[in-house]
Amino acid sequence: MILGIAGCGAEKDAGQMPDVTGLRLDKALAVIESAGFMDDVDVTGGGLFGVVVESNWQVCEQSPARGEKMTTTPRLTVDRTCGGDPEESPGSAEPTLQTTPPAESAPDPDPTTSEPGVLTAATNSDLAAVFADPDYCSDRIADFADKYAGRTIEFDGSIVAMNNHGSYNTRYDILIAAGDFSENSQPGPAFQFRDVNTVGDLHWTNDSPTSTVGIGDNLHIVAEVGTYDANRGCLFMIEPIATTFR
């Protein structure tokens, strides 16, 4: 089944297509929107009744490919899982044999988890306050991590430190600060991409102008809010969804 998943506006040539293969559909649509494509996205698959709950589906194929211009409507092919039979938990499966479309479950009444969209400093006052906080170990940052766990944030940042993860030579712990790179201290959280490689895990939307990744690189980041560890250097874990050199 082919569905048009709506954005909010309409411009077909909106920039380069990000790498969304392997992401949950809701995350993939957020990344495509953050890349500038604000019109409908074609979604193929989804079973007999199509996509009911976007987070239950995984993107297995995409067109155009990563880095290509979005001169036509992006098309995503989804399945419960890509490349194998899904492991379904009770109540999580989308229906395929019912004779009438099922009603979607009621949204979580907690507005911190049911709000749609990507959080930015311009749209979320809590995130703006976190970025401005001069103390990266402040309770404000810990509270933000608890309140918005699992949500998607988007911001301009920079790599301020990069070390090998354990004994690995091609996996890294990358320390990220909000804003442009500076050799002086910067306000905001001590974000970290932990145990990532620099090829596929960061989901690049463009190529490095220097063909390398390292300290001093300025990035545009879309990531999922993870955990905050006050006992381990006040590191704020985030999971990369899309990363762009800027």
Side-chain angles (χ1 to χ4, degrees):
M1 178 176 287
I2 300 178
L3 303 176
I5 305 294
C8 23
E11 191 159 78
K12 295 291 184 184
D13 188 358
Q16 292 183 331
M17 180 70 175
D19 180 9
V20 297
T21 301
L23 298 182
R24 297 196 310 269
L25 179 57
D26 58 332
K27 299 294 185 183
L29 294 173
V31 171
I32 291 172
E33 183 175 332
S34 73
F37 191 89
M38 309 298 288
D39 208 340
D40 293 359
V41 174
D42 286 344
V43 177
T44 303
L48 181 62
F49 296 110
V51 173
V52 179
V53 180
E54 292 173 356
S55 60
N56 282 351
W57 298 90
Q58 185 178 18
V59 177
C60 300
E61 297 178 8
Q62 68 175 70
S63 177
R66 179 185 74 85
E68 293 183 0
K69 295 287 286 183
M70 291 187 284
T71 54
T72 59
T73 299
R75 179 182 292 258
L76 307 179
T77 301
V78 301
D79 205 338
R80 288 301 313 280
T81 60
C82 301
D85 293 331
E87 294 183 3
E88 297 179 359
S89 58
S92 67
E94 300 241 0
T96 57
L97 298 177
Q98 298 183 25
T99 57
T100 56
E104 294 199 32
S105 59
D108 191 320
D110 182 355
T112 66
T113 57
S114 61
E115 286 182 356
V118 177
L119 304 178
T120 69
T123 62
N124 184 274
S125 59
D126 290 340
L127 184 57
V130 160
F131 285 152
D133 198 318
D135 180 7
Y136 66 91
C137 287
S138 75
D139 290 340
R140 186 198 307 273
I141 295 174
D143 291 344
F144 180 90
D146 288 340
K147 182 177 180 180
Y148 293 100
R151 295 290 302 276
T152 302
I153 58 174
E154 181 176 359
F155 64 99
D156 285 341
S158 55
I159 297 176
V160 296
M162 184 170 173
N163 298 300
N164 291 101
H165 180 77
S167 60
Y168 292 100
N169 293 323
T170 58
R171 300 194 68 81
Y172 301 91
D173 297 329
I174 302 176
L175 190 65
I176 303 289
D180 292 342
F181 177 76
S182 171
E183 293 183 352
N184 300 318
S185 61
Q186 295 169 261
F191 291 116
Q192 188 182 68
F193 294 152
R194 181 176 291 175
D195 189 14
V196 295
N197 66 46
T198 58
V199 180
D201 290 349
L202 299 186
H203 302 288
W204 296 106
T205 66
N206 61 355
D207 295 325
S208 168
T210 62
S211 300
T212 62
V213 180
I215 295 172
D217 284 340
N218 288 322
L219 309 173
H220 184 76
I221 295 165
V222 181
E224 182 177 307
V225 174
T227 59
Y228 170 81
D229 193 344
N231 297 317
R232 194 172 179 177
C234 300
L235 294 174
F236 189 163
M237 299 298 111
I238 54 176
E239 183 71 21
I241 296 174
T243 314
T244 305
F245 289 102
R246 59 181 181 88

